[in-house]
C-alpha cells in the first residue's frame, strides 16, 4: 500500500542539487512512484518530483486533470517551442507563487517504471507542469526562474 511521504520545502539543500539518473527499475522504484502518486493527490498537487520527497532520483509524476496520471523516469525535454508567462505554485514553496515564462509546446523523452522508453508531446498546462517538475530534477525551483513574485 502506498504511503504519504513528507514534502520538503525550499530551505532543504536537496532541492537545489541535480538528481541522480535511475538505472535500477525494481520494486524500490515502483514503491517510490506509488508513494509519489499518493502524496501528490493527498496534497492536491498537479505534479511532484522525487527530490520534493527527499529522494535524489530523476523521477516525476504528473496529473493535469485532463490527460490522466503520468509517471516519468529520467525525463528529458528534447524540443521546446513558443513562450508564455503564467503564475506557478509549488508544493515545496508554500504560500508563494511566481510569474514564470515557459515554452508552450514541448517533447519529453522518458522511461516508464520498467525502463521502457516513451515520448510525450505536450502543450499548454501539461507542458508547463512537465517543465516545472523537470526543473526540480536539475535543482531549480520556480523561484529561481520567476520574473515576479506573487503572494497569496
Amino acid at each position: 500500500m502506498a504511503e504519504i511521504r513528507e514534502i520538503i520545502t525550499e530551505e532543504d539543500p536537496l532541492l537545489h542539487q541535480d538528481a541522480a539518473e535511475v538505472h535500477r527499475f525494481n520494486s524500490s522504484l515502483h514503491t517510490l512512484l506509488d508513494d509519489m502518486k499518493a502524496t501528490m493527490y493527498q496534497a492536491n498537487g498537479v505534479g511532484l518530483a522525487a527530490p520534493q520527497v527527499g529522494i535524489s532520483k530523476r523521477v516525476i509524476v504528473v496529473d493535469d486533470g485532463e490527460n490522466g496520471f503520468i509517471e516519468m523516469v529520467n525525463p528529458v525535454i528534447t524540443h521546446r517551442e513558443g513562450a508564455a508567462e503564467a503564475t506557478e505554485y509549488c508544493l515545496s514553496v508554500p504560500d508563494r507563487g511566481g510569474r514564470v515564462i515557459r515554452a508552450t509546446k514541448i517533447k519529453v523523452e522518458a522511461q516508464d517504471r520498467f525502463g521502457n522508453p516513451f515520448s510525450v508531446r505536450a502543450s499548454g498546462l501539461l507542458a508547463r507542469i512537465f517543465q516545472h517538475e523537470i526543473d526540480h530534477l536539475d535543482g531549480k525551483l520556480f523561484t529561481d526562474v520567476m520574473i515576479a513574485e506573487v503572494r497569496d
Side-chain angles (χ1 to χ4, degrees), residues 2-152:
E3 290 184 28
I4 304 300
R5 298 199 184 199
E6 179 184 351
I7 297 173
I8 62 176
T9 56
E10 63 185 313
E11 302 82 21
D12 195 304
L14 184 73
L15 289 175
H16 304 279
Q17 300 169 8
D18 285 344
E21 190 170 329
V22 173
H23 298 286
R24 292 192 180 127
F25 295 82
N26 55 20
S27 62
S28 172
L29 173 65
H30 300 175
T31 298
L32 172 63
L33 285 162
D34 294 343
D35 290 356
M36 287 174 61
K37 178 181 183 179
T39 302
M40 177 185 72
Y41 286 137
Q42 191 273 337
N44 295 315
V46 295
L48 189 68
Q52 292 181 273
V53 293
I55 305 296
S56 183
K57 297 282 185 194
R58 298 190 74 78
V59 176
I60 66 170
V61 296
V62 169
D63 188 342
D64 68 347
E66 213 173 284
N67 294 284
F69 176 73
I70 302 167
E71 52 188 32
M72 293 183 155
V73 180
N74 300 323
V76 176
I77 298 171
T78 58
H79 177 78
R80 296 174 195 260
E81 177 179 327
E85 179 184 323
T87 301
E88 292 185 15
Y89 297 91
C90 181
L91 297 172
S92 291
V93 185
D95 305 320
R96 292 172 57 203
R99 301 293 292 173
V100 179
I101 298 172
R102 302 267 188 204
T104 54
K105 294 180 182 178
I106 63 169
K107 180 180 179 185
V108 182
E109 295 185 11
Q111 292 166 284
D112 67 15
R113 65 172 49 216
F114 303 103
N116 301 310
F118 70 98
S119 64
V120 175
R121 292 188 183 277
S123 60
L125 178 61
L126 184 59
R128 180 168 293 277
I129 297 167
F130 282 145
Q131 291 169 86
H132 178 109
E133 298 309 328
I134 292 169
D135 270 359
H136 278 298
L137 306 181
D138 297 327
K140 287 191 282 188
L141 299 173
F142 80 86
T143 54
D144 298 323
V145 296
M146 70 183 178
I147 55 176
E149 187 164 343
V150 175
R151 291 231 180 231
D152 286 343

